[in-house]
């Protein structure tokens, strides 16, 4: 069973887990600061202070409306985190149900389900999300649903392979002989064994969701103004790249830190489990 | 041969399934196409007449059959926005996106294989550790941000290309590919990092297998074990990865076309989404699905050539 | 006295992978003459394979520290250059490994793998010459169609054939020393004998010295002139095989020898058994299991969108009975269908025709691999309680009491209750498995090779536990095994399976002494069980 530790199975230090934890805590602390008390109002415009450079007053400078970039970055990061959490939750729940059923029961249902799943899986999630957004319109909630549905196939695939693996194992055969029913075997006997792998996929899922959300809002499809969004800030920054190249720094680095933190954590966990 | 035929049959079925789902989604959800063609405040009788003419009152499956037959003839419908055949609208866009993705794919394969092998071979060295850290960071950079960085660094500071200075392939093929180089790089960078990481770990995993011990016991040098035995085995998972990367690269090009102002499928798709130009969106999605599924079939066939164990099927 | 070929002295091997260095071989000495067969015996973790790897020059990782001397024909392999070492590897020293399934490169044709040593050590050889020697080596290793085999990939061959391929590749450049690291452990008994015979012939005809590593002392005794016994990284006893086998000096060696089941057909069976009939439960005359005309199928789904499911019959029209309180052995090679039959009887494979009657209710099962038969997510106590929860015992106190009783019955220390399976040894896990299988008080226990994954000394403990429980609880047992020696000691009746059919069936004494079945005779011979008329 998975027990938390910064060391890999063989006792070596797991630097992935350490680095991931440090970065994620830093990101979460910044987001928390944004929730509790951002240094400036994210909407407060100040035309006299357009494109101010990095300073003690505005540590990441200001944008084309003279708004404080740092405040907008940490508030935008919270939006991104919310969308990522929603995405992963939908993907995970959908994936769990489909994957567990397909993996455990097998047979024709599995074949059909997985054929559909593989087709969707081959389809890039951003594209799938674009299709869904184009049908239902943009906005935060539609983006969450769009990405969440697009994430189901990869979770389902992972859950299925885990359930398939355990379904054939001797200890499940033993439980069946002792009279355990399918629901109990799935929930009590198999599910806890999939937790470590599930945890690492959830973290990797966060990583992908942040990237996808940023991409969509860069394209202007995700979060709508005036809510600050990292992707859209970068798209604005691109228009002023010649005059104010530093504007891109804040939102860009924030996305990288978020993704990096989750991916390192995810890999750390999987290293911890697989040695 | 049977394998190839079977794969092609699978391809046909999959594409058919996708096209049906897409058709269904686009004919049920967005609303009345006749209304959209005529504009908001049209005479209901006129709308009904157009519905009749367009066959919108037929059962969905009949409509699908008609749509599919037309699609196979190369008739993808008419754009709501531009009132011109979708086929003509897209004819110029497809080669651009294909060229961009192909260039990115080539960059990925050519750069990642040597780097991955180098990193695994010198496991634990300073260069390897640098590569590992680099990979991890690079994977965290969204492609559009690396696109922006590349634009700034190579375009604005070093003047190696003119941002926004896209050259059509009809004008100058060389300049066309030259302009696509940096966008392709932006698409390829995160994929290169992933491929290097995968190859490194797959070479290292293979190196610990029993057959490697056997190869050493025959007096092979480290290099001949690596290139004679480990590499072919280690490339197998990489081939699968490369195959899946094709789809991601086409998706990536949608965003990157936006960053570099390239008038490809992606840009058209985004404009059409903005305009709710559904026939165009539908056609682009089915086209991309065909490309993605076909490339997956190609990879499956390649895999089968490389791995004798698959043949039993 | 022949010429000294190999002189290993003071060999120490230490692993530095983990925080604390781990010494796996201590002060290892070995002297081998040209053309000699020496056995190296020990259980898993005794350091026998590590010593062999060191001699073959295969421990080159930086994390492994080696000291001492390995003189091969006067050259110190431990302290020479990599180039020098490589000039010996595959040419003068060859090695054959335990796992023929994984020891060959999966994506390279057999022919290329077999001739590889020649390519390395004799680059001047013509393609034709190399081809000829490769084919000759394959046919010398007893492969009937060398040219055909050379064109195949490893996955297309059976385990026995792969091991012959490994030997062909090892012998192609006429080495002076062949190291065989448990070359038969992964193979079926009858194939094992053939491989041993092949090694013997190679030694006799080509004068190749063989260092034979095994956990099986009786096998070493039959093949080797001298033997070294290893325990915890040290050689604890050495001498002529027959002497060590008959008059062991050390307690550990005695224990190893005692763990080989005694079989002497010349005297009543009870002399070889710890359990005597008077304490065995009296037969009731009723059956705990009665199988009639049973055929079992497996389905496999073809790949691809239109993959059809294929039904293969693995067990064909089999009938057998297990009486109450009786142990019936089901013996056969891998792939004979014995496990398939057992799983069908347990109700784990519904695809069968014929009848299975279980008058005393559902049977329970103990599996072969104790590392896969306990749920790794739960503690031992939880695992032992689960059968009670499933049986509807809802009183927590009652469950705890019964688990305590069971732990005592199977000799498990109470403190192990809070541990997870991964923290237990193989023997302890198998005790938990047995305990868990008995929690619901079944009348029939199916034991599918319950000891074959364990070290020999642990095997004895688990078998005597099974025997004791069977006696005390009056259990009927369907005991699946490939080992006729164990069956002699443990079982009342035996059924022998081959290719999905029962080819021989009857009382153990009757079958061992008088069976006329050719296959049974072959199996007995492979297990070195000798009848009077054949002596």
């Amino acid at each position: 069973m998975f027990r938390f530790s910064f060391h890999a199975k063989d006792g070596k230090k797991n630097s992935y887990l350490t680095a991931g934890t440090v970065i994620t805590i830093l990101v979460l602390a910044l987001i928390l600061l944004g929730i509790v008390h951002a240094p400036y109002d994210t909407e407060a415009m100040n035309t006299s202070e357009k494109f101010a450079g990095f300073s003690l007053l505005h540590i990441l400078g200001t944008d084309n409306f003279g708004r404080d970039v740092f405040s907008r970055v940490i508030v935008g990061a919270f939006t991104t985190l919310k969308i990522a959490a929603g995405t992963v939750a939908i993907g995970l729940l959908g994936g769990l149900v489909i994957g567990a059923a397909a993996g455990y029961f097998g047979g024709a249902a599995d074949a059909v389900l997985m054929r559909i799943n593989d087709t969707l899986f081959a389809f890039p999630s951003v594209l799938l999300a674009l299709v869904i957004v184009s049908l239902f319109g943009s906005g935060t909630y539609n983006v969450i649903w769009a990405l969440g549905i697009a994430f189901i196939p990869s979770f389902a695939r992972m859950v299925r392979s885990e359930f398939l693996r355990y379904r054939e194992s001797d200890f499940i055969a033993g439980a069946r002989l002792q009279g355990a029913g399918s629901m109990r075997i799935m929930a009590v006997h198999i599910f806890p064994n999939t937790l470590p792998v599930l945890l690492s996929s959830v973290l990797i899922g966060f990583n992908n969701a942040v990237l996808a959300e940023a991409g969509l809002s860069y394209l202007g499809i995700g979060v709508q103004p005036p809510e600050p969004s990292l992707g859209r800030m970068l798209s604005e920054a691109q228009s002023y790249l010649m005059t104010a190249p530093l504007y891109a720094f804040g939102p860009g680095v924030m996305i990288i830190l978020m993704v990096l933190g989750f991916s390192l954590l995810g890999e750390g966990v999987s290293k911890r489990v697989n040695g | 041969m049977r394998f190839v035929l079977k794969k092609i049959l699978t391809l046909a079925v999959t594409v058919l399934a996708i096209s049906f789902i897409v058709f269904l989604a686009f004919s049920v959800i967005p609303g009345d196409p006749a209304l959209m063609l005529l504009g908001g405040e049209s005479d209901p009788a006129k709308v009904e007449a157009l519905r009749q003419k367009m066959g919108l009152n037929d059962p969905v499956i009949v409509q699908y059959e008609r749509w599919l037959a037309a699609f196979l003839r190369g008739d993808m419908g008419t754009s709501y926005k531009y009132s011109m055949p979708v086929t003509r609208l897209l004819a110029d866009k497809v080669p651009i996106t294909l060229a961009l993705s192909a260039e990115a794919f080539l960059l990925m394969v050519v750069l990642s294989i040597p780097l991955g092998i180098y990193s695994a071979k010198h496991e634990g060295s300073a260069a390897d550790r640098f590569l590992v850290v680099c990979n991890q960071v690079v994977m965290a950079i969204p492609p559009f941000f690396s696109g922006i960085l590349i634009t700034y660094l190579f375009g604005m500071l070093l003047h190696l290309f003119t941002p926004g200075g896209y050259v059509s392939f009809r004008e100058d093929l060389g300049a066309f590919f030259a302009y696509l180089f940096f966008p392709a790089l932006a698409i390829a960078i995160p994929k290169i990092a992933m491929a290097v990481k995968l190859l490194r770990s797959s070479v290292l995993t293979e190196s610990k297998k029993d057959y490697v011990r056997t190869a050493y016991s025959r007096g092979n040098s480290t290099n001949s074990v690596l290139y004679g035995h480990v590499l072919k085995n280690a490339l197998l998972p990489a081939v699968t990865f490369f195959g899946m990367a094709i789809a991601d690269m086409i998706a990536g090009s949608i965003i990157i076309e936006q960053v570099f102002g390239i008038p490809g499928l992606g840009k058209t798709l985004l404009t059409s989404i903005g305009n709710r130009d559904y026939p165009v969106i539908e056609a682009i999605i089915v086209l991309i699905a065909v490309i993605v599924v076909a490339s997956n079939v190609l990879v499956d066939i390649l895999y089968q050539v490389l791995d004798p164990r698959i043949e039993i099927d | 006295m022949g010429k000294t070929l190999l002189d290993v002295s003071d060999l120490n091997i230490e692993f530095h992978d983990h925080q604390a260095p781990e010494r796996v071989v201590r002060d290892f000495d070995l002297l081998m003459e040209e053309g000699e067969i020496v056995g190296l015996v020990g259980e898993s973790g005794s350091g026998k394979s590590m010593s062999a790897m060191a001699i073959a020059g295969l421990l080159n990782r930086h994390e492994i520290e080696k000291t001492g001397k390995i003189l091969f024909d006067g050259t110190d392999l431990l302290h020479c250059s990599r180039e020098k070492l490589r000039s010996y590897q595959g040419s003068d020293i060859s090695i054959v490994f335990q796992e023929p399934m994984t020891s060959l490169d999966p994506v390279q044709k057999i022919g290329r793998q077999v001739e590889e040593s020649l390519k390395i050590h004799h680059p001047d050889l013509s393609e034709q010459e190399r081809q000829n020697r490769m084919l000759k080596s394959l046919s010398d290793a007893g492969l009937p169609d060398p040219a055909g085999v050379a064109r195949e990939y490893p996955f297309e061959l059976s385990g026995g054939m792969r091991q012959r391929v490994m030997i062909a590749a090892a012998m192609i450049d006429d080495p002076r020393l062949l190291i065989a690291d448990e070359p038969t452990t992964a193979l079926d008994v009858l194939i094992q004998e053939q491989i041993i015979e092949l090694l013997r012939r190679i030694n006799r005809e080509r004068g190749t010295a063989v260092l034979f590593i095994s956990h099986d002392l009786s096998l070493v005794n039959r093949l080797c002139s001298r033997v070294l016994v290893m325990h915890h990284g040290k050689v604890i006893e050495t001498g002529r095989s027959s002497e060590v086998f008959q008059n062991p000096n050390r307690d550990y060696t005695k224990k190893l020898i005692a763990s080989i089941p005694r079989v002497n057909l010349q005297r009543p069976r009870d002399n070889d058994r710890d359990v005597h009939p008077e304490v065995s439960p009296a037969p009731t005359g009723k059956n705990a299991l009665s199988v009639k005309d049973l055929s079992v199928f497996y389905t496999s789904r073809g790949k691809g969108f239109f993959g059809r499911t294929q039904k293969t019959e693995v067990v064909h029209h089999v009938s057998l009975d297990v009486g109450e309180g009786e142990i019936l052995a089901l013996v056969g090679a891998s792939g004979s269908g014995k496990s398939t039959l057992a799983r069908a009887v347990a109700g784990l494979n519904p695809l069968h025709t014929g009848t299975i009657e279980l008058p005393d209710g559902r049977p329970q099962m103990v599996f072969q691999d104790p590392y896969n038969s306990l749920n790794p997510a739960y503690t031992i106590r939880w695992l032992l309680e689960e059968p009670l929860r499933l049986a509807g015992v809802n009183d927590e106190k009652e469950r705890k009491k019964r688990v305590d009783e069971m732990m005592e019955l199977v000799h498990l220390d109470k403190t192990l209750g809070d541990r997870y399976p991964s923290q237990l040894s193989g023997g302890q896990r198998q005790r938990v498995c047995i305990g868990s299988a008995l929690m619901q008080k079944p009348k029939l226990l199916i034991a599918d090779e319950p000891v074959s994954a364990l070290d020999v000394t642990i095997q004895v403990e688990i078998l005597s536990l099974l025997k004791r429980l069977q006696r005390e609880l009056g259990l009927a047992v369907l005991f699946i095994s490939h080992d006729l020696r164990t069956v002699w000691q443990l079982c009342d009746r035996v059924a022998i399976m081959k290719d999905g059919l029962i080819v021989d069936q009857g009382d153990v004494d009757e079958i061992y002494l008088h069976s006329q079945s050719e296959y049974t005779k072959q199996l007995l011979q492979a297990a070195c069980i000798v009848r009077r008329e054949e002596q």
Side-chain angles (χ1 to χ4, degrees), chain A residues 120-138:
Chain A
L120 288 175
F121 187 73
F123 226 64
S125 59
V126 168
L127 199 60
L128 210 58
L130 272 180
V131 176
I132 297 173
V133 168
S134 75
L135 288 170
F136 295 97
S138 54

Side-chain angles (χ1 to χ4, degrees), chain A residues 75-216:
Chain A
V75 172
F78 182 48
T79 313
T80 300
L81 188 71
K82 277 191 292 194
I83 293 178
T87 299
V88 170
I90 293 170
L92 179 67
L93 280 177
L96 255 180
V97 172
I98 295 174
Y104 185 75
F105 294 110
D110 175 40
V112 172
L113 223 50
M114 279 304 121
R115 177 62 53 181
I116 297 171
N117 199 63
D118 282 352
T119 309
L120 288 175
F121 187 73
F123 226 64
S125 59
V126 168
L127 199 60
L128 210 58
L130 272 180
V131 176
I132 297 173
V133 168
S134 75
L135 288 170
F136 295 97
S138 54
T140 309
Y141 286 99
N142 282 348
V143 167
I144 290 180
W145 278 107
L147 284 177
I149 291 168
F151 272 39
I152 290 177
S154 62
F155 276 108
R157 194 179 239 225
M158 188 276 305
V159 173
R160 173 182 176 268
S161 78
E162 283 287 291
F163 271 70
L164 199 62
R165 182 156 74 94
Y166 286 112
R167 182 183 76 172
E168 299 302 330
S169 68
D170 287 343
F171 67 81
I172 294 305
R176 212 170 287 156
L177 284 182
Q178 287 163 351
S182 296
M183 278 320 283
R184 186 166 178 89
I185 287 183
M186 285 200 274
V188 179
H189 292 260
I190 297 183
F191 179 69
N193 286 295
T194 67
L195 278 177
V197 178
L198 224 49
L199 178 59
S200 107
S201 341
V202 162
L203 290 163
I204 302 290
F206 260 96
N207 154 22
N208 292 332
V210 170
L211 279 175
E213 189 277 331
L216 287 181

